[in-house]
Amino acid sequence: MQENSQQIIEKTNHFGAHNYHPKDVVIESAEGALVWDPEGRQYYDMLSAYSALNFGHRHPEIIAAAKEQLDKVTLTSRAFHNAVLGEFFEKLCQVTGKDMVLPMNTGAEAVETALKTARRWGVEVKGVANGEQEIIVCENNFHGRTIAIISFSTDPDARINYGPYAPGFHVIPYGDAAALEAAITPNTVAFLVEPIQGEAGILMPPEGYLQQVREICTRHNVLMMADEVQTGFARTGDMFACDHEGVVPDIYILGKALGGGVMPLSAVVANRDILGIYTPGSHGSTFGGNPLACACAIKALELLVRDNYPQMAREKGEYFMAKLREINNEDILEVRGRGLLIGVEFKHSAVGYVKELIAHGVLAKETHENTIRFAPPIVISYEQMDDACNRIAQVFSK
Ligand SMILES: *Cc1c(COP(=O)(O)O)cnc(C)c1O
């Protein structure tokens, strides 16, 4: 028997742990920027799975690449070579301008990998004693959900009763280059930073911050590790959000859109003097770099360049943000963002608006209560943006 949305939601809530609080909508099928529920209602996807769907739902060329790979081999583990891993590495090195790739599956795993890389590099290259390595991070960060990562989260919900917490991290305010300089000690091995804080509510650092960070890290021989899991791969109108200030970090932490919205795939990308520290057995993942994910990523990386996704996101983002700014609502404090990563901040909770948006066929979600994130797939058409904006204006001008 075909279940309706209500029955599906009840079953999910009954049998699943409640570590999420999803909105009352069930997605049964999707294409591009559109999704449909079991009752056939249509919605615009303005969240894009937190930027994992930069290419839209089921991009036909990525799906074709996945289907072709499904008929060959899907998983080998890293005990053996697979026929597509090398090509994936080569393509990702071309897009990032770096020498080497270490593949994992989720963003959190890539962040963990970057932390391990920095700690080991600190001992073997910088000469810090093992156990003394320090890593600097920012307030309001979001880097994932593992024990080590939540140990340096400043969000009480993320840390609740998960102690003992991992040591070796030092938290400083975001966007404050002087605080970084002041926090560095001889044992500091890395600074982990999001070029724009997505989960914190699309918080953008002051202009010039990333350049200052780059300069400070270089001067103190501290690795600059950019978590571009959410901002990377064209979302902000550049290939990477660091490009906006012409900054190249030592380590790119990548995920989300890398798997083309089809497979989980993440990576740490850096030069040989950094990733060269790894030796067999010292790190790994059974599914990391599996052929099915690599086939999706190879196509995704090809599309990014061939179809100039950064330019698409820049132009569409400007158009979309201008339309949002035209909306008259005294409760709107600010419309901010870059490319197609846009936040609308209200003077009060935005939860009621989110509910109304969904009723008007627009899927969006508040981040941190007062801000609604609009981050549609980069493939969204101008016609679709116009229609979605009309619906958003209807809701916001109520
Ligand atoms: C989503 C996200 C992560 C974690 O990725 P997962 O795949 O959910 O583990 C890490 N960093 C940033 C900036 C993210 O947005």
Side-chain angles (χ1 to χ4, degrees):
M1 191 194 78
Q2 172 82 30
E3 292 179 309
N4 66 29
S5 287
Q6 198 48 44
Q7 291 166 319
I8 292 167
I9 289 170
E10 276 164 22
K11 184 182 281 183
T12 307
N13 285 341
H14 182 74
F15 290 106
H18 294 181
N19 57 322
Y20 280 94
H21 185 55
K23 301 295 171 191
D24 282 335
V25 54
V26 176
I27 298 173
E28 190 188 56
S29 60
E31 187 179 328
L34 294 172
V35 305
W36 292 273
D37 73 7
E39 288 75 24
R41 282 183 289 252
Q42 178 176 295
Y43 302 88
Y44 289 105
D45 183 352
M46 288 287 157
L47 187 56
S48 306
Y50 304 97
S51 294
L53 288 161
N54 283 359
F55 305 93
H57 291 271
R58 296 168 52 244
H59 189 291
E61 290 180 71
I62 298 173
I63 294 296
K67 284 184 174 166
E68 199 180 308
Q69 190 60 44
L70 276 171
D71 287 331
K72 290 182 184 162
V73 61
T74 56
L75 184 61
T76 60
S77 86
R78 295 292 301 278
F80 312 104
H81 286 277
N82 79 56
V84 283
L85 186 58
E87 191 187 345
F88 162 62
F89 286 167
E90 184 181 34
K91 278 225 152 61
L92 188 52
C93 285
Q94 282 165 357
V95 165
T96 55
K98 296 287 189 191
D99 296 342
M100 284 182 135
V101 177
L102 197 162
M104 299 295 281
N105 309 282
T106 66
E109 285 177 319
V111 172
E112 286 275 341
T113 301
L115 300 174
K116 287 171 85 172
T117 304
R119 284 182 171 189
R120 189 161 172 187
W121 172 90
V123 173
E124 297 178 10
V125 179
K126 187 164 178 174
V128 175
N130 187 37
E132 301 298 320
Q133 304 98 313
E134 292 167 12
I135 294 174
I136 300 172
V137 301
C138 291
E139 279 171 7
N140 300 317
N141 68 72
F142 183 82
H143 297 290
R145 301 296 194 167
T146 64
I147 293 266
I149 292 170
I150 61 95
S151 291
F152 57 81
S153 171
T154 56
D155 175 359
D157 288 339
R159 286 170 56 89
I160 185 169
N161 296 344
Y162 293 137
Y165 300 102
F169 301 100
H170 186 89
V171 183
I172 61 169
Y174 183 62
D176 184 344
L180 172 63
E181 178 113 49
I184 291 174
T185 77
N187 290 331
T188 303
V189 294
F191 177 49
L192 173 64
V193 66
E194 298 159 85
I196 294 175
Q197 288 189 323
E199 293 316 292
I202 324 292
L203 299 187
M204 306 207 289
E207 202 67 34
Y209 174 65
L210 297 173
Q211 281 183 2
Q212 287 174 296
V213 165
R214 175 67 279 180
E215 190 274 318
I216 292 166
C217 286
T218 302
R219 189 150 42 79
H220 291 276
N221 195 23
V222 164
L223 298 179
M224 178 181 179
M225 309 202 292
D227 182 345
E228 295 245 19
V229 169
Q230 184 163 158
T231 51
F233 300 123
R235 171 53 59 187
T236 66
D238 286 294
M239 188 59 83
F240 300 102
C242 284
D243 296 350
H244 178 72
E245 293 194 19
V247 162
V248 179
D250 298 297
I251 293 182
Y252 285 108
I253 303 167
L254 303 169
K256 293 204 166 113
L258 181 56
V262 177
M263 290 291 289
L265 179 60
S266 66
V268 162
V269 189
N271 281 341
R272 206 165 298 279
D273 57 337
I274 296 169
L275 274 182
I277 54 144
Y278 280 101
T279 45
S282 59
H283 191 47
S285 163
T286 303
F287 280 85
N290 72 78
L292 184 55
C294 286
C296 295
I298 289 167
K299 183 53 74 178
L301 291 165
E302 186 188 312
L303 295 177
L304 269 173
V305 176
R306 188 196 73 191
D307 297 344
N308 203 343
Y309 272 72
Q311 186 185 349
M312 256 199 264
R314 200 177 321 129
E315 292 174 358
K316 290 177 183 177
E318 277 167 22
Y319 182 82
F320 196 55
M321 195 138 43
K323 290 213 128 203
L324 288 173
R325 287 198 166 123
E326 282 170 15
I327 298 173
N328 249 327
N329 180 331
E330 292 195 341
D331 291 340
I332 295 179
L333 265 183
E334 192 182 22
V335 178
R336 61 173 175 266
R338 192 169 295 143
L340 277 173
L341 186 59
I342 300 168
V344 177
E345 185 174 348
F346 291 87
K347 288 178 186 157
H348 51 71
S349 169
V351 175
Y353 284 127
V354 167
K355 197 167 179 204
E356 277 302 303
L357 284 172
I358 293 172
H360 283 72
V362 176
L363 296 189
K365 198 168 188 299
E366 70 283 354
T367 82
H368 284 241
E369 198 76 18
N370 290 12
T371 303
I372 300 180
R373 166 173 27 201
F374 291 105
I378 298 170
V379 296
I380 191 171
S381 70
Y382 282 88
E383 218 178 4
Q384 289 174 327
M385 279 195 288
D386 286 343
D387 185 28
C389 274
N390 286 338
R391 293 160 189 261
I392 293 166
Q394 259 180 48
V395 171
F396 284 178
S397 39
K398 262 191 192 163

